């Protein structure tokens, strides 16, 4: 089905248009997927009671959806609310003699959408991020998963 194929380029809208350093930005879906696949920690932004709220959480994805970990009992993931998810990977610090010349080399993705509760009808769970052998997993996460990693 051709209608099920996602376009290779993301839409260029007022919300997604790069205004500064345009040459460093990309609307290519492959670039977005590479950033998402390189990590598993994101920041979820919502507006609750008229105030912005940003919380760190973890995520996973399939070809069509981004899944964030959280509780629907919390207001940040109540169904139908507009959300913004940001993923950032710091690749290096640029240190200079002058504070005005310091910088950070990073890759990031900003994704806008609406929160929806995932139900059993959605199918198989999203697999956990693939961790290289020997990756340290915090004890509280390993205990919840029922396993221990190095």
């Amino acid at each position: 089905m051709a209608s099920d194929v996602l376009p290779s380029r993301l839409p260029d809208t007022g919300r997604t248009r790069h205004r500064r350093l345009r040459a460093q930005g990309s609307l290519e879906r492959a670039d977005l997927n590479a950033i998402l696949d390189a990590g598993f920690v994101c920041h979820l932004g919502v507006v609750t009671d008229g105030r912005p709220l940003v919380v760190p959480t973890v995520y996973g994805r399939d070809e069509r959806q981004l899944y964030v970990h959280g509780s629907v009992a919390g207001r940040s993931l109540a169904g139908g609310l507009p959300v913004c998810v940001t993923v950032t990977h710091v690749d290096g610090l640029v240190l200079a003699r002058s504070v005005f010349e310091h910088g950070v080399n990073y890759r990031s993705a900003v994704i806008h959408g609406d929160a929806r509760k995932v139900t059993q009808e959605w199918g198989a769970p999203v697999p956990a991020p693939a961790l290289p052998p020997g990756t340290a997993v915090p004890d509280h996460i390993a205990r919840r998963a029922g396993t221990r990693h190095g």
Side-chain angles (χ1 to χ4, degrees):
M1 291 184 223
S3 63
D4 286 344
V5 176
L6 294 173
S8 64
R9 189 163 172 83
L10 300 164
D12 186 0
T13 69
R15 182 175 280 179
T16 63
R17 188 168 297 120
H18 297 97
R19 289 171 176 74
R20 295 186 65 238
L21 304 172
R22 290 183 184 166
Q24 294 181 8
S26 173
L27 290 173
E28 295 300 320
R29 186 171 304 277
D31 293 336
L32 169 65
N33 289 342
I35 291 170
L36 293 176
D37 292 345
F40 59 94
V41 174
C42 67
H43 288 85
L44 172 68
V46 297
V47 175
T48 58
D49 298 330
R51 306 286 299 175
L53 172 68
V54 177
V55 295
T57 188
V58 295
Y59 68 91
R61 75 171 189 93
D62 62 21
E63 289 304 313
R64 296 196 156 279
Q65 303 292 330
L66 181 70
Y67 300 92
V68 295
H69 179 266
S71 169
V72 293
R75 295 181 296 174
S76 62
L77 290 176
L81 284 179
V83 297
C84 177
V85 175
T86 305
V87 175
T88 304
H89 302 292
V90 175
D91 295 318
L93 299 175
V94 179
L95 303 176
R97 289 184 178 180
S98 167
V99 69
F100 300 108
E101 301 299 321
H102 289 326
V104 177
N105 292 336
Y106 65 94
R107 295 166 289 138
S108 67
V110 178
I111 301 157
H112 298 273
D114 295 318
R116 291 188 309 219
K117 180 180 178 180
V118 176
T119 62
Q120 289 298 332
E121 293 87 39
W122 284 46
V126 175
L131 299 175
T135 299
V137 176
D139 283 341
H140 68 281
I141 294 174
R143 279 194 299 273
R144 281 191 176 166
T147 61
R148 269 195 196 263
H149 298 279

